[in-house]
């Protein structure tokens, strides 16, 4: 089993920790606060992608300063000039900020069980319409945290946004229904909006 | 209490002995047409007599009930039934595309100016064989289908669905249902597990062809489960479907219905190999000696009182029984409407 590469990034006067796994197109992950840098789904993504998961907890301690907006130049020092972002739980707000403030380098946005942090962030809810990258929001049908409402808002405000319900999952979708998350996420990363088109054969017996 | 008329859609031709599936060659084409015309006649009568709803169910490959597509029939109902609600009780979700079901019901709700009510079912053992569904998964498929349909009716924006049994990347149902947020939805409570599901989704409970003690037990279970979910259902949330025969006297009712029994389970006629493969499907019902409500108007009122005591507020009644002529069915239905229904309203 592949092991993570760990390192630090200097960003806006703060040092943040990151872990990296896999090779291929870069996918930057903003994990849930207090959780591990890699969950079952982001680990599986590393089979096809270069996944960089950021511990941005130092940012959260500096209330009112959007350090996340300064991440793109820091990531460039890792040789990453264009990337997809994945925001998990309360990490979703950081993923959206990245998409809003660095629209030219973010090619896809995936929000997994986004929390109300997006709605509570000053001005962020009003800026959803500025997200240029195709966006996918995954919400569990048993999630009562407000993710469904956040997903509905994203679907209504972000110009190209798909809301996907993961049946019979709560807030921890990745742990509860790993493959149900992984399949649409990898298809979306690969095809963007084209992920709504099925390529599966319906032929029963040739 | 409220009362609905379950249209029996009984085949108007000569009954066959073969249980399921019945060879199509035994279907008299003219009799099939006559069946549909009679059913329409009964619908109009039920509406005129003041039944609160008229209902249709879904059954396949048999002359017992000629309703393989309840949606087609419900569409016709919207044109001839002017006052009563249109009850689709109900589509078999393991045999269906749930998104299509959501679309068709929304269309019906628009056509009927918001008179649709619906019960989603998994189907009995024989129905599961119709399109080769897996009986072991029927309950899970049905429950996911219900959740998907509820989302399809309530989500304001297009969405995708990554289910265990259904997978859609784009769902965006038009038209929206006239009723807000959606038509009244019933879910089966014929098993303890399904009662729990029903309460957890705040759906109305539908019971059918079970005995009175079981009805009471299921209603108690439903209310307890609902309390845990933070809501309190009433009798108006509980529907019971059954057969009834009302005659001028108890003796006449007994005479009219005692010649035949009814056995609900068609799987008992299948081979051992098939039946053993169906072991995960709903248990086959036992024989019934007589309709649930049977007797003179006074006797039937007493029987309804017991039903009300058990917690039922909605009755979905089929006025059929083997051996009853079409004319006897109509007579029973009319007697119920004139001599029973007025008192039922106050219960």
């Amino acid at each position: 089993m592949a092991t993570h590469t760990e390192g630090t990034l200097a960003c806006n006067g703060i040092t943040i920790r990151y872990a990296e796994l896999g090779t291929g197109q870069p996918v930057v992950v903003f994990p849930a606060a207090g959780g591990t840098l890699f969950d079952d789904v982001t680990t599986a993504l590393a089979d096809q992608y270069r996944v960089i998961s950021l511990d941005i907890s130092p940012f959260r301690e500096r209330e009112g300063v959007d350090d996340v907006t300064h991440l793109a130049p820091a990531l460039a020092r890792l040789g990453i000039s264009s990337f997809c972002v994945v925001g998990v739980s309360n990490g979703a707000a950081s993923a959206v900020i990245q998409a809003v403030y660095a629209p030219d380098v973010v090619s896809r946005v995936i929000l997994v069980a986004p929390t109300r942090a997006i709605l509570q962030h000053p001005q962020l809810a009003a800026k959803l319409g500025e997200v240029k990258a195709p966006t996918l929001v995954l919400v569990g049908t048993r999630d009562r945290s407000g993710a469904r409402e956040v997903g509905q808002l994203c679907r209504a405000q972000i110009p190209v946004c798909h809301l996907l319900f993961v049946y019979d999952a709560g807030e921890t979708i990745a742990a509860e229904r790993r493959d149900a998350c992984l399949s649409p996420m990898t298809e979306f990363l690969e095809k963007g909006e084209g992920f709504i088109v099925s390529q599966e054969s319906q032929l029963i017996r040739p | 209490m409220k009362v609905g008329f379950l249209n029996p859609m009984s085949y108007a031709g000569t009954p066959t002995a073969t249980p399921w599936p019945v060879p199509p060659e035994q279907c008299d084409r003219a009799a099939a047409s006559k069946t549909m015309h009679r059913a329409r006649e009964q619908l109009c009568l039920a509406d005129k007599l003041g039944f609160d709803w008229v209902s249709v169910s879904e059954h396949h490959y048999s002359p017992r009930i000629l309703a393989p597509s309840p949606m087609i029939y419900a569409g016709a109902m919207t044109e001839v039934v002017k006052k009563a609600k249109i009850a689709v009780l109900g589509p078999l979700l393991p045999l269906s595309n749930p998104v299509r079901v959501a679309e068709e019901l929304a269309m019906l709700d628009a056509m009927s100016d918001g008179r649709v009510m619906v019960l989603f079912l998994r189907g009995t053992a024989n129905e599961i064989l119709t399109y080769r569904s897996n009986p072991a998964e029927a309950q899970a498929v049905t429950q996911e289908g219900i959740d998907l349909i509820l989302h399809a009716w309530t989500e304001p924006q297009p969405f995708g669905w990554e289910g265990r049994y259904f997978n859609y990347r784009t769902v965006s149902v038009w038209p929206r249902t006239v009723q807000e947020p959606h038509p009244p939805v019933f879910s089966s409570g014929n098993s303890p597990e399904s009662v729990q599901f029903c309460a957890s989704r705040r759906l109305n409970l539908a019971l059918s062809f079970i005995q009175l003690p079981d009805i009471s037990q299921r209603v108690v279970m439903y209310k307890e489960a609902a309390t845990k979910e933070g809501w309190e259902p009433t009798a108006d949330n509980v529907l019971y479907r059954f057969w009834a025969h009302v005659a001028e006297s108890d003796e006449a009712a007994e005479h009219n219905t005692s010649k035949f029994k009814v056995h609900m389970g068609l799987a008992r006629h299948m081979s051992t190999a098939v039946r053993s493969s169906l072991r995960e499907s709903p248990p086959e019902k036992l024989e019934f000696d007589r309709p649930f409500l049977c007797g003179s108007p006074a006797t039937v009122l007493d029987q309804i009182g017991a039903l009300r005591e058990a917690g039922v507020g909605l009755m979905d009644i089929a006025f059929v029984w083997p051996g009853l002529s079409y004319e006897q069915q109509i007579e029973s239905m009319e007697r119920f409407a004139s001599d029973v229904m007025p008192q039922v309203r106050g219960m």
Side-chain angles (χ1 to χ4, degrees), chain A residues 35-58:
Chain A
T36 56
L37 288 181
F38 277 84
D39 61 23
D40 291 348
V41 168
T42 48
T43 300
L45 279 179
D47 290 342
Q48 298 177 56
Y49 296 93
R50 178 187 178 188
V51 181
I52 303 103
S53 186
L54 306 173
D55 175 8
I56 57 165
S57 51

Side-chain angles (χ1 to χ4, degrees), chain B residues 36-288:
Chain B
M36 299 302 159
H37 290 301
R38 275 186 173 177
R40 177 192 163 103
E41 188 177 271
Q42 283 184 292
L43 285 178
C44 293
L45 179 61
D47 198 28
K48 185 179 155 195
L49 293 174
F51 282 83
D52 295 291
W53 67 84
V54 288
S55 71
V56 61
S57 55
E58 176 177 339
H59 296 278
H60 298 263
Y61 298 175
S62 157
R64 270 195 177 183
I65 300 169
L66 286 193
S69 176
M71 300 303 192
I72 287 179
Y73 197 70
M77 284 156 75
T78 63
E79 293 299 305
V80 297
V81 176
K82 299 301 179 188
K83 291 182 291 185
K85 292 190 176 203
I86 309 296
V88 190
L89 314 177
L92 305 181
L93 293 186
L95 281 57
S96 309
N97 175 333
V99 176
R100 177 82 179 192
V101 170
E103 289 179 316
E104 291 177 343
L105 287 167
M107 198 173 164
L108 283 171
D109 204 41
M111 290 166 69
S112 65
D113 296 320
R115 287 185 290 146
V116 165
M117 49 195 274
V118 61
L119 161 65
F120 297 115
L121 293 170
R122 61 174 164 173
T124 54
N126 57 294
E127 308 294 359
I128 290 294
L129 298 176
T130 306
Y131 303 141
R132 211 170 178 225
S133 309
N134 184 339
E137 296 175 337
Q139 185 175 52
V141 169
T142 302
Q143 294 182 349
E144 182 181 330
I146 291 173
D147 277 338
L148 172 52
I149 290 169
L150 294 175
H151 274 75
W153 281 341
T154 54
E155 276 302 309
Q157 298 286 329
F159 66 92
W161 185 267
E162 197 69 30
R164 296 188 193 280
Y165 299 101
F166 300 107
N167 179 307
Y168 299 92
R169 289 285 158 80
T170 310
V171 178
S172 189
V173 168
W174 276 73
R176 294 177 89 183
T177 60
V178 170
Q179 296 176 84
E180 194 174 352
H182 52 69
V185 175
F186 292 78
S187 183
S188 171
N190 278 6
S191 73
E193 302 80 28
S194 57
V195 172
Q196 298 296 325
F197 173 83
C198 191
S200 72
R201 302 307 194 268
R202 302 194 175 204
L203 303 177
N204 302 296
L205 184 73
L207 306 167
S208 60
F209 308 110
I210 60 175
Q211 304 299 324
L212 201 54
D214 295 326
I215 296 172
S216 302
Q217 183 211 37
R218 296 290 154 74
V219 172
V220 168
M221 196 182 291
Y222 176 55
K223 289 185 172 176
E224 287 175 351
T227 300
K228 286 180 188 166
E229 298 288 337
W231 69 294
E232 290 183 19
T234 68
D236 287 340
N237 296 106
V238 181
L239 178 144
Y240 181 56
R241 166 179 282 180
F242 54 89
W243 302 287
H245 180 63
V246 191
E248 66 273 20
S249 66
D250 291 346
E251 293 73 24
E254 176 71 16
H255 173 77
N256 294 343
T257 57
S258 60
K259 296 187 196 83
F260 297 94
K261 294 179 179 179
V262 166
H263 197 295
M264 291 289 282
L266 291 172
R268 70 186 171 128
H269 300 286
M270 296 171 186
S271 70
T272 304
V274 172
R275 289 176 66 190
S276 63
S277 298
L278 292 171
R279 64 190 182 281
E280 297 294 337
S281 60
E284 292 295 282
K285 295 293 295 184
L286 301 174
E287 277 190 345
F288 294 85

